[in-house]
Amino acid sequence: MTFFSSRHPKFRSPTGPVPSGSSIHFRVTLPRNLGCSAARLIVEQEGQPAQLRDMFWCGMNGDDKEWWECDFTPPSPGLYFYLFEANTCRGVQRLSRGERGLAIFGGTYRWQLTVYQEGFQTPHWLLGGVMYQVFPDRFAKSGQEKANLPAGRSYHENWLEQPDWRPNEQGHITNTDFFGGDLRGIQEKLPYLKSLGVTCLYLNPIFESHSNHRYDTADYSKIDPLLGGEEDFSALCAAAKELGIRVIIDGVFSHTGSDSVYFNREGRYPEPGAYQSQQSPCYPWYSFRNWPNEYDSWWGFITLPNVNETEPGYNEFINGENGIVRRWLRAGASGWRLDVADELPDAFIDNLSAAAKAEDSDALVLGEVWEDASNKSAYGVRRRYLLGGQLDSVMNYPFRDAIFGFLLGDDPKNFAEAVENIIENYPPQCLNLLMNHIGTHDTERALTVLGGEPAGSRGREWQAAQTLSPAQRETGLARLRLAAAIQYMLPGVPCVYYGDEAGLEGYRDPFNRGCYPWGREDESLLDWYRQLGALRARCRHILAQGNYRTLRAERNLLVLERFAEQEGEALLLFVNRSERPQSIVPLNLDLSGAALVLGEALGAVTVLRPYGCSVLKINRKIQKRP
């Protein structure tokens, strides 16, 4: 018996997150033989006393159950947690949260209610689109001559060779080998990105830095000279916009490089930095325990000194009217991705978001968060990323984990729960902009995860020597097609990590950061990604903001649905993760008249091929949940 489901409008209306001031109707159904004489909703806004709402008897539900109901209006944004109590012939009985948002008697878990600011809006230009992530040194090289390149770098002559991974003579990993990818090279490849259906290009750091990853910023005001100059950046953004592609850039604001114009530990820059002089205007940005050699640094890396983000001088430098955030939006960027958002104080994110929106109300502010961002706690503080005034959305690692878990043999119900839990917790305007990736510069390549042997605790030497065997690669490619199909169908925006669509392999950093294999792509896989991009464009009215439900998640079969209720149209995705054929019946779905959009035809055929999938479009009113 279902006593209450937080995900079903029969029991909670509306479901999901709500704006503050919205009335929510709660209903529970209880067995008549419990002799319930009173029932209560107990709801607590975090940090506030619990509130009780008496529920009222509202009639019978069949012959042996009864309805109890009440309304609740959350007065302000925040996280609320709730459960129910009933006075019964067996004493006070508690209804708490069980699996899949369903109620159980007993237990201590509560349901989460996310309440966001009334009027909270996010940019519309990304809705229904496709993102593409580029590691700038490794995507495309124009051959443009560069001047004034900083000292201390080495350069690969062979574009296709492996990145350096061995420590130097002092035993340090320096990340100072470069392949020479640049902004003009990216601009030259914009027609290629357009062919994939890309609408948003996300660039890893582009500012002057002295490592190939550029997360050790040396000068926020300058493009790294190996990438080009500010005019190259503006030209890239303008050319991309003509093709319907926006550009967002990486903001690394929790730390700088020690080898920077601000800290200047290595003495590269002529003006004294915080390491050299306590009179430096940048000195207050940093926390020295014993100046100059002992200071707070990012995860103990002395090359990455932490900054005090709320120090007035630093905050003005980044978020002021003429600060870094607004400057690069003026130069052509359409938004920022915030590195390690959980290490940025709330006040700093507030200021950054306000600065970005003041410069461009349509600017995107997206954060790196690896967990459920709606209830994330960091350094003892519950974060309010998605409640309005901070992030528009986040990187979506939970969906990545769910996709890989399903394809590698986990219980399919865990996939359904992971997806539906995020949908239940994230405001819809954030949900629809989620950066749904299955690989990034911080993770192993998707093809390697899906086809290769897990690296586990093995070191760089083992990882460097690995390539997929022909059999492993065949399996990995089959699973990657399925992973991408799921990724492109889920709520949010799929993000392709450069080269995944071409069949790049690689374990952890730096092996996941090889150069794009121009002229050596896996053409079949590339065609699959182009078909997925075309699907996103053709069915944007469904995928941009359409509802989601899991129709089947058991054994080797996953069936999910995206639907636009007003248009009366739906997309159904059928996935067989097995190397054996998989029946899709019984499913209680009438597929007559369904149009094949992608994959293999079904119709009268009710068996999916090994590692098969099918996307069907149904032009009718949506059936109720089976």
Side-chain angles (χ1 to χ4, degrees):
M1 174 189 291
T2 300
F3 306 113
F4 174 82
S5 171
S6 59
R7 300 171 184 169
H8 199 297
K10 181 169 69 174
F11 295 95
R12 220 203 87 178
S13 180
T15 58
V18 298
S20 58
S22 298
S23 178
I24 308 167
H25 189 65
F26 291 91
R27 306 175 82 207
V28 297
T29 188
L30 299 174
R32 183 69 170 169
N33 60 17
L34 278 181
C36 181
S37 58
R40 294 169 294 281
L41 166 71
I42 304 174
V43 59
E44 177 182 343
Q45 183 178 8
E46 195 163 47
Q48 302 295 324
Q51 302 179 53
L52 303 182
R53 290 290 185 273
D54 288 328
M55 306 186 80
F56 299 93
W57 188 88
C58 290
M60 296 296 295
N61 178 16
D63 296 330
D64 56 353
K65 300 181 292 295
E66 56 189 20
W67 288 110
W68 292 79
E69 307 181 20
C70 73
D71 292 309
F72 173 72
T73 301
S76 59
L79 288 189
Y80 294 70
F81 297 92
Y82 64 94
L83 45 69
F84 306 93
E85 279 186 351
N87 294 353
T88 75
C89 61
R90 303 173 189 172
V92 176
Q93 298 282 310
R94 171 170 288 180
L95 275 176
S96 64
R97 190 184 192 280
E99 294 181 350
R100 303 187 302 283
L102 301 175
I104 59 172
F105 277 107
T108 59
Y109 289 108
R110 300 176 295 175
W111 289 273
Q112 175 181 312
L113 169 61
T114 304
V115 180
Y116 54 89
Q117 290 179 10
E118 187 178 5
F120 173 35
Q121 295 182 341
T122 55
H124 282 74
W125 56 263
L126 187 56
L127 286 170
V130 176
M131 295 181 72
Y132 192 89
Q133 179 186 351
V134 161
F135 196 76
D137 186 57
R138 310 288 164 81
F139 181 61
K141 183 177 181 179
S142 69
Q144 175 188 14
E145 290 294 327
K146 306 299 193 311
N148 302 316
L149 295 181
R153 303 184 181 192
S154 63
Y155 300 93
H156 293 265
E157 294 184 4
N158 181 357
W159 179 257
L160 295 176
E161 70 185 3
Q162 195 174 65
D164 290 352
W165 57 271
R166 293 180 176 85
N168 64 13
E169 293 178 354
Q170 290 74 41
H172 299 143
I173 303 294
T174 63
N175 296 305
T176 53
D177 64 309
F178 291 80
F179 286 83
D182 56 12
L183 297 179
R184 187 170 293 184
I186 298 172
Q187 184 174 340
E188 290 173 356
K189 299 299 183 182
L190 286 175
Y192 166 75
L193 299 181
K194 182 68 175 178
S195 77
L196 293 172
V198 171
T199 60
C200 178
L201 174 60
Y202 155 47
L203 300 179
N204 285 113
I206 58 174
F207 303 127
E208 181 172 302
S209 304
H210 303 299
S211 67
N212 51 43
H213 54 70
R214 299 188 173 96
Y215 281 93
D216 54 343
T217 310
D219 192 337
Y220 292 105
S221 67
K222 294 180 181 178
I223 302 294
D224 189 274
L226 187 59
L227 293 175
E230 184 170 343
E231 65 281 0
D232 295 303
F233 176 73
S234 294
L236 168 62
C237 293
K241 203 164 189 177
E242 288 182 3
L243 294 177
I245 301 173
R246 306 279 192 117
V247 177
I248 66 171
I249 55 179
D250 229 325
V252 187
F253 300 129
S254 71
H255 55 270
T256 68
S258 62
D259 191 1
S260 67
V261 68
Y262 317 109
F263 200 79
N264 207 16
R265 190 187 70 168
E266 284 72 16
R268 182 188 298 269
Y269 297 91
E271 296 297 322
Y275 182 85
Q276 297 158 314
S277 172
Q278 292 176 312
Q279 277 66 55
S280 165
C282 301
Y283 177 80
W285 296 7
Y286 302 94
S287 295
F288 290 93
R289 297 186 299 277
N290 183 17
W291 182 84
N293 290 315
E294 296 180 15
Y295 47 87
D296 291 345
S297 58
W298 188 78
W299 289 82
F301 292 100
I302 62 172
T303 57
L304 302 174
N306 279 336
V307 297
N308 301 314
E309 295 93 342
T310 55
E311 193 277 325
Y314 181 77
N315 181 72
E316 180 67 18
F317 177 71
I318 299 297
N319 298 323
E321 184 173 352
N322 295 306
I324 294 301
V325 167
R326 299 184 68 167
R327 171 179 176 167
W328 291 106
L329 292 173
R330 292 181 193 130
S334 291
W336 290 88
R337 177 262 190 190
L338 302 185
D339 185 54
V340 291
D342 58 350
E343 300 186 25
L344 299 173
D346 278 326
F348 180 80
I349 300 180
D350 291 340
N351 294 338
L352 188 148
S353 179
K357 305 298 184 182
E359 185 63 36
D360 179 359
S361 60
D362 234 7
L364 179 72
V365 181
L366 185 145
E368 179 194 13
V369 180
W370 287 57
E371 305 85 5
D372 183 331
S374 72
N375 53 37
K376 164 84 175 181
S377 291
Y379 301 95
V381 176
R382 180 82 78 179
R383 306 310 299 264
R384 47 183 174 84
Y385 300 128
L386 306 182
L387 300 182
Q390 284 205 343
L391 303 179
D392 294 310
S393 199
V394 293
M395 299 177 72
N396 193 6
Y397 282 90
F399 280 10
R400 173 187 184 268
D401 296 341
I403 292 170
F404 285 169
F406 166 68
L407 293 175
L408 294 175
D410 193 15
D411 185 343
K413 288 184 173 57
N414 292 337
F415 170 90
E417 176 61 19
V419 173
E420 294 186 17
N421 189 63
I422 292 294
I423 293 171
E424 183 174 9
N425 290 347
Y426 282 33
Q429 55 270 57
C430 302
L431 176 74
N432 293 325
L433 297 187
L434 278 174
M435 178 180 166
N436 289 340
H437 57 85
I438 57 174
T440 73
H441 62 291
D442 286 327
T443 65
E444 298 170 356
R445 286 277 176 182
L447 182 57
T448 297
V449 173
L450 294 170
E453 182 180 352
S457 60
R458 296 182 176 99
R460 287 186 165 203
E461 187 168 356
W462 181 88
Q463 295 178 52
Q466 301 306 305
T467 56
L468 298 179
S469 70
Q472 287 177 322
R473 188 170 175 88
E474 182 181 357
T475 299
L477 287 169
R479 288 173 173 161
L480 181 53
R481 290 184 180 92
L482 301 183
I486 299 170
Q487 175 193 15
Y488 274 62
M489 284 284 290
L490 288 173
V493 180
C495 182
V496 180
Y497 182 45
Y498 80 100
D500 275 357
E501 79 280 17
L504 274 186
E505 304 175 14
Y507 283 96
R508 295 186 283 269
D509 171 23
F511 310 109
N512 58 352
R513 300 176 183 180
C515 293
Y516 186 99
W518 297 109
R520 301 189 180 189
E521 302 92 334
D522 184 304
E523 291 294 341
S524 176
L525 183 62
L526 197 53
D527 180 65
W528 182 251
Y529 272 88
R530 287 193 171 113
Q531 291 183 59
L532 288 168
L535 165 66
R536 295 283 299 182
R538 190 162 62 252
C539 300
R540 193 165 187 163
H541 61 294
I542 300 174
L543 295 173
Q545 301 179 81
N547 294 332
Y548 169 94
R549 61 183 174 185
T550 307
L551 297 182
R552 177 80 70 83
E554 61 184 23
R555 297 183 180 178
N556 292 313
L557 181 65
L558 174 67
V559 184
L560 61 86
E561 180 181 43
R562 298 296 307 279
F563 57 97
E565 283 186 301
Q566 289 185 343
E567 291 84 356
E569 292 184 321
L571 290 175
L572 301 176
L573 170 64
F574 300 80
V575 175
N576 172 21
R577 72 178 180 186
S578 171
E579 59 187 8
R580 298 181 298 274
Q582 171 67 50
S583 170
I584 67 167
V585 293
L587 196 60
N588 299 327
L589 284 174
D590 178 10
L591 300 181
S592 59
L596 178 67
V597 179
L598 184 74
E600 61 184 274
L602 289 177
V605 179
T606 57
V607 175
L608 283 169
R609 293 194 297 265
Y611 296 122
C613 75
S614 179
V615 179
L616 304 180
K617 184 178 181 183
I618 301 178
N619 295 299
R620 57 171 174 73
K621 293 297 181 182
I622 305 305
Q623 298 183 19
K624 294 183 179 180
R625 183 188 296 267

